[in-house]
Amino acid sequence: KQEVTQIPAALSVPEGENLVLNCSFTDSAIYNLQWFRQDPGKGLTSLLLIQSSQREQTSGRLNASLDKSSGRSTLYIAASQPGDSATYLCAVSSEWWDDKIIFGKGTRLHILP
Amino acid sequence: NAGVTQTPKFQVLKTGQSMTLQCAQDMNHNSMYWYRQDPGMGLRLIYYSASEGTTDKGEVPNGYNVSRLNKREFSLRLESAAPSQTSVYFCASRVGTSNEKLFFGSGTQLSVL
């Protein structure tokens, strides 16, 4: 059974710092991995999707990497801003034919002004 | 752009009452999902529908039923609500292939007294 873990559960950093959020998964046979952002009281917004054949994806100040063999992904946020404060979740799809998507519990990020 | 629309946004039920959560998407997506989100438990898949006319159980299907009414609509029914079903419920959809991003509704906050 696929399990997705995100450590730490919460993180506070001063504005302007670069930071890395971590995601690990137990079964390396994934089809893709997504990073999401969730603001309090809101739904989730997909930030980046990395296919299993890819090593990384970039969008603006965000860069997500994937190492399937070690079961790890990282989300790098450059030059953090107070508006980046949110919960960040990663999720994996295990097979191309399997419509299940398994989520980690998220990292709650607080950027200090 | 409406995206994924969920109704109602808030609901309070008494134990034993029934209700249906509605979800509709206007993006011509094939796959639709119902998740529940609980503190400390993360997002857990209740049911999903890979296409119109098909539904499958997720991690926590007990106490719930679903209907894929047509391509746009996917409803979640609680036949006899229990306090353990107090949660935030999210509907999501995607095109259908595993390498497509997942889009979420804004959620329904349900309390069962």
Side-chain angles (χ1 to χ4, degrees):
Chain A
K1 178 184 174 184
Q2 178 73 272
E3 293 183 2
V4 181
T5 303
Q6 293 184 248
I7 296 174
L11 181 65
S12 293
V13 299
E15 179 179 3
E17 284 198 3
N18 303 324
L19 60 98
V20 173
L21 304 180
N22 297 298
C23 172
S24 62
F25 43 94
T26 54
D27 185 348
S28 62
I30 67 167
Y31 195 60
N32 64 47
L33 182 144
Q34 292 187 70
W35 282 94
F36 293 83
R37 169 183 173 138
Q38 185 177 27
D39 293 290
K42 305 291 186 182
L44 282 71
T45 300
S46 181
L47 299 172
L48 291 164
L49 183 149
I50 310 177
Q51 299 179 28
S52 61
S53 58
Q54 298 174 325
R55 294 299 298 264
E56 64 180 291
Q57 281 284 337
T58 298
S59 176
R61 294 183 294 107
L62 305 179
N63 176 277
S65 67
L66 175 64
D67 184 343
K68 273 184 55 177
S69 60
S70 67
R72 295 180 185 275
S73 175
T74 61
L75 179 66
Y76 175 84
I77 302 177
S80 58
Q81 303 170 358
D84 295 329
S85 297
T87 297
Y88 292 81
L89 298 95
C90 67
V92 299
S93 294
S94 289
E95 299 286 350
W96 69 268
W97 46 262
D98 187 349
D99 239 10
K100 294 179 184 176
I101 303 171
I102 305 301
F103 282 80
K105 295 180 181 178
T107 294
R108 190 169 65 253
L109 177 64
H110 182 47
I111 305 299
L112 304 168
Chain B
N1 294 333
V4 180
T5 303
Q6 290 184 236
T7 56
K9 293 189 183 301
F10 302 94
Q11 184 71 48
V12 179
L13 294 177
K14 294 181 180 179
T15 297
Q17 288 185 318
S18 62
M19 79 160 295
T20 300
L21 280 63
Q22 305 288 352
C23 175
Q25 51 87 12
D26 61 1
M27 296 175 283
N28 201 34
H29 286 172
N30 291 304
S31 298
M32 298 186 73
Y33 307 80
W34 277 105
Y35 286 89
R36 59 178 290 175
Q37 187 175 38
D38 303 288
M41 299 297 293
L43 274 160
R44 292 181 291 171
L45 181 63
I46 305 171
Y47 272 94
Y48 64 102
S49 171
S51 62
E52 185 179 353
T54 68
T55 60
D56 285 286
K57 296 179 180 179
E59 299 174 70
V60 288
N62 292 342
Y64 305 95
N65 285 302
V66 291
S67 295
R68 183 74 183 267
L69 305 171
N70 48 55
K71 191 172 186 178
R72 290 186 63 248
E73 299 173 287
F74 189 39
S75 63
L76 179 71
R77 183 162 178 83
L78 286 69
E79 292 291 352
S80 179
S84 61
Q85 294 178 306
T86 294
S87 187
V88 180
Y89 291 84
F90 288 101
C91 178
S93 72
R94 65 178 176 182
V95 171
T97 60
S98 293
N99 270 333
E100 296 290 335
K101 288 186 176 182
L102 195 59
F103 293 82
F104 277 81
S106 57
T108 295
Q109 188 167 328
L110 176 66
S111 294
V112 183
L113 307 177

